[in-house]
Amino acid sequence: LAVHARRDPTLDLDNVPVVLWQYQDVICANRAAKALGVKKHMRPDPARALVAPADGKLVHAFCRDWPGPRVRYGPYNAASREFFDALAQALRDATGGAATKLEKGSIDEAFVELAAPPRDAKAFCLRVKRAVEAGAGNQTS
């Protein structure tokens, strides 16, 4: 959803229920939509019925027309590269270049192994989170 919000600033992911779907399948929902009962892999019509009373939105995944219609992964892959580049830089900055292991879990999830535990884990995580959000331009959790 963050990739769509970057391209459509009218998507208020913090306050309005928003659901992303493709091929008659809900693939992502923000917290507001989940609070109304939207679940991953439900059909779009039941999801629409849940979010409509709260002025929620259903957003279709980016598509290409030829050959197909098919999902166009380019915008998602570009955002993923930005995220991982920003995370790697944030970890280098936060650890002073100390050895860290960064493993890609999915297009938007990472596993991090630090060479040594930070003195203040909460402050360290917050610093990395803020740096990644600034570098990638998306909210992180």
Side-chain angles (χ1 to χ4, degrees), residues 29-50:
N30 69 350
R31 286 185 180 101
K34 289 177 184 176
L36 295 172
V38 174
K39 303 265 189 264
K40 196 168 179 184
H41 301 303
M42 71 188 308
R43 311 273 281 164
D45 286 342
R48 183 177 288 108
L50 291 170

Side-chain angles (χ1 to χ4, degrees), residues 49-132:
L50 291 170
V51 301
D55 294 324
K57 292 185 175 187
L58 266 71
V59 178
H60 195 278
F62 295 114
C63 286
R64 61 186 171 101
D65 293 328
W66 181 257
R70 299 281 187 265
V71 172
R72 183 168 53 97
Y73 291 100
Y76 307 111
N77 289 332
S80 179
R81 283 189 299 276
E82 291 171 13
F83 166 76
F84 280 97
D85 289 347
L87 178 58
Q89 184 62 52
L91 288 169
R92 282 191 296 274
D93 293 346
T95 62
T100 58
K101 238 182 176 174
L102 175 59
E103 181 182 332
K104 188 172 184 177
S106 71
I107 195 166
D108 63 355
E109 295 176 311
F111 301 99
V112 176
E113 184 178 330
L114 301 174
R119 282 184 290 229
D120 183 344
K122 187 174 180 177
F124 175 85
C125 291
L126 187 58
R127 178 180 175 189
V128 170
K129 176 182 173 28
R130 287 181 178 154
V132 170

